Structure formats: structure tokens, C-alpha cells
């Protein structure tokens, strides 16, 4: 149980921190975007933020697994199976949401229908998407290895 707590605490705190950092960066980009920016840019930001929320949910699930007090073995096993499914599902959601967000941002980056996006804005969005996908994958792999199987 101490291995679960240690791994879950590390993965959860880092995942939640990364998710909040990416959400703040996306929020800031959305607020400071020029008024002539294509409206679909905001949908791209929303999709990438969806990936960050997926990472946030995975981090909360990992934190919950790390703070669980031992109960009946059957109840613990069902609980940990649920957390294993949660972190995998959140990783897949992050991949899909971030991929859609990146595709939307790429589609309007050259300024069709609005002001072209700056290279810095594009880089921050792409890094935010990449970081959430990678860390959601790390969370999924670590938690699925540490938690007992059914």
C-alpha cells in the first residue's frame, strides 16, 4: 500500500500542477488574442483545455487512489480497477481532445478569416497539448502498473 501511496502522490501532484499550468496558459492566450483572430481559434483552445481537464481528472483519480484507506479486499480491488480504467480513459480523452485542438489551430494559423497567429502562440498551444498528452500517458502507465489487477 505504501508503494501505491508514494507513486500516486507523485503522479497526482505533478499531473494536477501541469494541468493547472496549461489551463492558465490557455486562458491567458485566449484573453490576449487580437480581436481579429478567427473565432475557431477559441474552439482550438477549448479542445486543448479539454485535454488539460482530462489530465486534471486523471491526477485527481490518482490522488484518490493514494489516499484510500484499506477496506475489504474485494472493495479495494473494485475501486482500484475503476481507477485503472479512469486513468486510461483520461489519457485517451487527452489524446483525442488535444489532437483536435492542434488540428483546429493549424487550420486557422495562416490567418484565413482573421489575423494570422503568432509563432509564440502556436508554440505555446502545441507545447500545452504535448505536455498534457505525455503526462496523462505517464499517469496512466504508472497507475496501471502500481495498482493491483483484477
Amino acid at each position: 500500500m505504501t508503494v501505491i501511496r508514494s507513486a500516486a502522490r507523485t503522479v497526482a501532484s505533478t499531473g494536477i500542477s501541469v494541468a493547472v499550468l496549461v489551463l492558465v496558459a490557455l486562458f491567458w492566450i485566449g484573453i490576449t488574442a487580437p480581436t481579429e483572430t478567427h473565432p475557431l481559434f477559441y474552439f482550438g483552445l477549448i479542445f486543448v483545455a479539454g485535454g488539460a481537464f482530462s489530465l486534471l481528472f486523471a491526477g485527481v483519480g490518482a490522488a484518490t487512489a493514494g489516499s484510500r484507506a484499506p477496506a475489504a479486499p474485494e472493495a479495494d480491488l473494485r475501486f482500484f480497477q475503476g481507477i485503472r480504467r479512469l486513468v486510461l480513459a483520461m489519457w485517451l480523452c487527452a489524446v483525442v481532445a488535444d489532437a483536435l485542438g492542434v488540428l483546429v489551430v493549424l487550420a486557422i494559423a495562416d490567418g484565413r478569416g482573421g489575423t494570422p497567429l503568432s509563432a509564440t502562440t502556436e508554440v505555446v498551444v502545441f507545447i500545452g497539448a504535448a505536455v498534457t498528452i505525455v503526462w496523462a500517458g505517464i499517469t496512466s502507465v504508472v497507475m496501471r502498473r502500481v495498482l493491483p489487477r483484477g
Side-chain angles (χ1 to χ4, degrees):
M1 198 65 164
T2 60
V3 173
I4 294 173
R5 286 179 195 240
S6 174
R9 188 175 302 129
T10 303
V11 168
S13 62
T14 307
I16 291 169
S17 301
V18 167
V20 169
L21 182 65
V22 169
L23 287 170
V24 167
L26 293 173
F27 183 73
W28 185 255
I29 288 172
I31 286 178
T32 60
T35 55
E36 299 84 25
T37 303
H38 196 285
L40 281 179
F41 173 68
Y42 299 104
F43 284 104
L45 291 181
I46 290 168
F47 280 126
V48 176
F53 274 113
S54 296
L55 175 59
L56 182 66
F57 294 149
V60 169
T64 304
S67 65
R68 178 161 174 99
E74 186 176 308
D76 282 344
L77 188 59
R78 275 197 318 253
F79 173 77
F80 289 138
Q81 287 173 347
I83 296 296
R84 287 171 56 89
R85 284 191 299 269
L86 170 79
V87 293
L88 179 62
M90 290 301 102
W91 178 44
L92 295 174
C93 286
V95 168
V96 170
D98 285 334
L100 288 173
V102 166
L103 289 174
V104 168
V105 169
L106 282 175
I108 57 107
D110 64 352
R112 280 189 219 143
T115 304
L117 300 177
S118 69
T120 307
T121 300
E122 290 181 48
V123 167
V124 170
V125 171
F126 299 155
I127 287 175
V131 166
T132 56
I133 289 172
V134 167
W135 196 258
I138 290 170
T139 302
S140 178
V141 168
V142 168
M143 294 309 294
R144 289 179 64 82
R145 286 181 187 245
V146 169
L147 295 176
R149 291 190 173 128

